Amino acid sequence: MKKSILILGALFFLIQGISKSQDLSLVVFENVRVFDGKSEVLTPVVNVLVEGNKIKSINPTNIEIMPGAKRIQGNGKTLMPGLIDVHVHMAFGALTMKEMMSPMLSEGVIVEKTSKGAEEMLQRGFTSVRDAGGPIFPLKMAIDAGKFEGPRIWPSGATISQTAGHGDFRTPEEKSRRFFGEPSRAERYNATFIADGRDEVLTAVRENLRFGASQIKLMAGGGTSSAYDPVDVTQYTFDEMRAAVEAAEDWGTYVMVHAYTPRAIQRAIEAGVKCVEHGQMLDEKTLRLMARKKVWLSTQNLVEDTPDMDPLRREKRKPVIEGQAKVWPMAKKLKVKLAWGTDFLFEPELNALQNEYILRLQKWFSNAEILKIVTHDNAELLQLSGLRSPYPGKLGVVEEGALADLILVDGNPLDDLSLIAQPKEKFLIIMKDGEIHKNLINFTDPSL
C-alpha cells in the first residue's frame, strides 16, 4: 500500500512537470545573425529558441520545433539584447516642473504619466532601466503585475539628500521638518528624503530598502536642477555617507552618488560607494582612483541646451557641459568601468530622443563598443544589486540560459548604429521576459 502511494505521488509530480513544461511559451527566431552583447562581429546565421522567459538554445542547424512554438523567420536580420538605460527618472522625466508643483498633483496623476512613459520606453527597445531616484514603487509593481507595459525597473526609491542638498526640493516657504515638524511636499510624494546626521541617513536608507529599493541613491554634491546648491559644493560628511554605505551593504546592495567634482567623488569612494553618477568635472587623478578601486562611472552625454530649460539650470550646467567632452575619452583611456544613461528631467519631450542619445557616444567609441555599453556593461552594473536585484538572471547578452530580453533589428547595427535611433521602423520584434511586446513582421503562431 505504501509503495503504491509512493508510485502515485511520483506520477503526480511527473505529470505536473510535463504539464508545466508544456505551458511554457516557445518562440524560435530562425535564420538570424546575433549580436551577443560582447563581440565586435555578428554570428553567422543561427536559430535561437526561447523557452518561457529564457534563451534555451542557439544552434547553427535547425532546432527541433516543438508543437505550439511560434516561428519567427529572421531572414538574416540581427537579434540583439534589449537596450538598458541605467540613469532614468521615470517620474521626474515624465512630468514638467509645472506639473510637479501643481496643486492637482496626486499619486494617481504620477502613475498615469509614468505608465505612459514606461510603455513608450519599452517600445523604443529599452527592456531594463535603473531608476535613479523618485516615486517609483507603484509604477514598478504595476508593470511587474502586468497592469502596464514597461521595462524592468531597478528602483532606488526617494533620493537621499542633506538639507540644502541636491534633493532638497522645498519651496521658499517650506520650513525644515526637523525644526518645524512638517515634511516637505516632495517628501510626502516619496520623491526625496531630507536626512541630516548619521541616524537620519540610516533611517532614510532603510525606509527605501523596506519598500524594495535595489540600490540607494545619495546626493554627494551640488546639482544643476536644484535651486539651493551650487555645482561645486560637497555634500554629506564622511560619517553620514559611510552610514548609508553600511546600511546598504548590510542588505547586500550598494550606494550610488550624484556628484560632479573630484572632492565630492573622492570622499564618496573613501566611504565605500560603488558607483558615481555624472562626474563630468572629474580629473585624471580621481579617475585613476576609480579605476584602481573598480568604482563605476555611470555618466551621460547631455544636450547643451533646450528651449524649455530654466535659465538658472542653463547657467549652472555650463561647467558640466564643458567637462563631459573630456571625461568620456579620459575614462575610456584609463579603463574606468563605464555605464551610460540619459537622465532626462522635467522635459517629457526629450524622452523620444532616448535612442538618439546613444549615437552621441560615437565621438569616442566604435559602434561595437557603444552597443556593448548599452547592453552587456549596463547589465553588469545592474547586477551590483546582488540579491536585492528584482529580476534574478543574466541580462545584456544573447546566450543560452540568459533572460529573453531581445530585439530583432532590420539591418546590422554594428555597421550602421543609426538603426538603434529608429526603433519605430527598425525594431521589428521587441521581447521582454520571453513575451513579445512589439511585432512588425508576420510569423507562424500556432495559437491563432
Side-chain angles (χ1 to χ4, degrees):
M1 180 69 178
K2 186 176 180 181
K3 186 176 180 181
S4 300
I5 292 171
L6 287 172
I7 292 171
L8 285 171
L11 284 171
F12 172 78
F13 284 111
L14 179 62
I15 292 167
Q16 288 289 98
I18 293 171
S19 174
K20 186 176 181 182
S21 68
Q22 288 175 342
D23 287 342
L24 290 174
S25 62
L26 298 168
V27 179
V28 181
F29 292 90
E30 298 183 278
N31 302 312
V32 294
R33 300 182 70 196
V34 170
F35 169 66
D36 64 5
K38 298 174 285 186
S39 302
E40 295 184 356
V41 295
L42 301 182
T43 66
V45 171
V46 294
N47 302 297
V48 178
L49 172 63
V50 173
E51 183 178 271
N53 71 338
K54 291 186 178 178
I55 298 170
K56 177 73 172 178
S57 61
I58 302 172
N59 201 315
T61 59
N62 288 333
I63 291 173
E64 182 180 349
I65 307 298
M66 299 180 186
K70 296 179 176 133
R71 299 176 60 170
I72 298 171
Q73 185 52 247
N75 295 319
K77 295 177 175 62
T78 303
L79 190 69
M80 64 172 285
L83 301 173
I84 302 173
D85 187 332
V86 295
H87 195 115
V88 301
H89 296 277
M90 300 299 288
F92 302 150
L95 294 155
T96 66
M97 184 59 77
K98 184 178 179 181
E99 288 171 324
M100 291 286 291
M101 300 306 296
S102 168
M104 303 304 293
L105 185 69
S106 65
E107 185 175 288
V109 169
I110 294 172
V111 171
E112 178 187 353
K113 294 276 187 178
T114 56
S115 63
K116 183 175 183 293
E119 182 177 356
E120 291 170 349
M121 199 172 287
L122 181 58
Q123 290 298 308
R124 290 193 292 270
F126 287 88
T127 52
S128 293
V129 297
R130 185 179 59 158
D131 190 276
I136 187 60
F137 297 116
L139 174 67
K140 181 191 178 302
M141 287 189 290
I143 291 172
D144 290 347
K147 184 177 180 181
F148 301 128
E149 289 197 343
R152 304 174 189 267
I153 297 175
W154 272 253
S156 302
T159 63
I160 301 174
S161 168
Q162 68 175 46
T163 296
H166 183 55
D168 185 345
F169 300 131
R170 286 177 296 156
T171 55
E173 67 274 9
E174 289 184 291
K175 305 299 184 183
S176 167
R177 167 186 49 78
R178 190 162 189 172
F179 296 133
F180 297 91
E182 285 291 327
S184 66
R185 172 188 171 92
E187 290 174 290
R188 290 198 305 271
Y189 280 110
N190 302 309
T192 192
F193 283 123
I194 300 173
D196 294 299
R198 180 180 177 87
D199 289 351
E200 286 196 350
V201 169
L202 286 173
T203 301
V205 171
R206 289 166 179 166
E207 275 290 288
N208 276 331
L209 292 168
R210 172 176 175 258
F211 283 110
S214 49
Q215 64 284 319
I216 297 300
K217 171 74 173 294
L218 202 72
M219 302 306 196
T224 66
S225 59
S226 44
Y228 303 108
D229 55 329
V231 172
D232 63 282
V233 303
T234 301
Q235 297 175 11
Y236 275 127
T237 64
F238 174 83
D239 280 349
E240 289 171 315
M241 203 175 301
R242 183 61 197 159
V245 169
E246 289 172 354
E249 287 182 346
D250 283 347
W251 279 57
T253 186
Y254 69 99
V255 171
M256 58 177 184
V257 292
H258 161 104
Y260 292 109
T261 67
R263 185 174 190 267
I265 291 166
Q266 287 172 22
R267 180 180 292 178
I269 294 170
E270 185 184 0
V273 163
K274 294 288 192 291
C275 184
V276 172
E277 304 298 312
H278 314 308
Q280 284 96 334
M281 296 165 67
L282 276 164
D283 59 10
E284 184 173 337
K285 176 185 174 183
T286 311
L287 283 167
R288 288 187 183 278
L289 177 64
M290 292 179 71
R292 190 165 68 250
K293 296 280 191 178
K294 295 182 170 26
V295 173
W296 283 83
L297 176 60
S298 164
T299 191
Q300 306 80 38
N301 189 14
L302 301 170
V303 67
E304 288 75 14
D305 195 5
T306 64
D308 295 329
M309 190 175 292
D310 180 86
L312 173 63
R313 187 177 176 209
R314 187 179 292 120
E315 184 64 28
K316 292 180 78 177
R317 281 162 56 90
K318 284 182 180 178
V320 175
I321 298 299
E322 289 170 6
Q324 71 181 0
K326 302 172 186 175
V327 77
W328 276 105
M330 195 160 40
K332 177 184 177 182
K333 178 183 175 183
L334 296 173
K335 295 183 168 42
V336 176
K337 295 173 79 69
L338 281 167
W340 169 89
T342 45
D343 191 28
F344 296 144
L345 290 168
F346 311 125
E347 297 179 84
E349 64 276 8
L350 289 179
N351 293 320
L353 304 177
Q354 190 175 19
N355 300 62
E356 291 183 28
Y357 269 56
I358 295 173
L359 306 187
R360 297 169 70 88
L361 300 179
Q362 287 181 301
K363 298 175 186 176
W364 311 293
F365 299 91
S366 70
N367 291 352
E369 288 172 330
I370 292 169
L371 289 175
K372 180 173 178 285
I373 288 171
V374 300
T375 56
H376 172 273
D377 295 355
N378 276 0
E380 277 203 339
L381 175 53
L382 294 180
Q383 292 310 311
L384 274 188
S385 295
L387 293 177
R388 299 291 78 75
S389 173
Y391 311 100
K394 195 165 188 179
L395 287 167
V397 292
V398 181
E399 63 182 46
E400 292 180 1
L403 293 170
D405 286 12
L406 301 166
I407 305 171
L408 185 65
V409 183
D410 187 7
N412 181 354
L414 288 174
D415 289 342
D416 181 6
L417 194 67
S418 71
L419 298 172
I420 297 297
Q422 305 171 64
K424 189 173 181 181
E425 300 84 12
K426 299 300 182 180
F427 289 1
L428 305 178
I429 300 282
I430 296 174
M431 173 180 280
K432 175 196 145 193
D433 207 38
E435 294 185 13
I436 295 172
H437 290 266
K438 178 185 178 182
N439 171 34
L440 292 184
I441 63 174
N442 294 321
F443 60 86
T444 305
D445 186 346
S447 67
L448 299 177

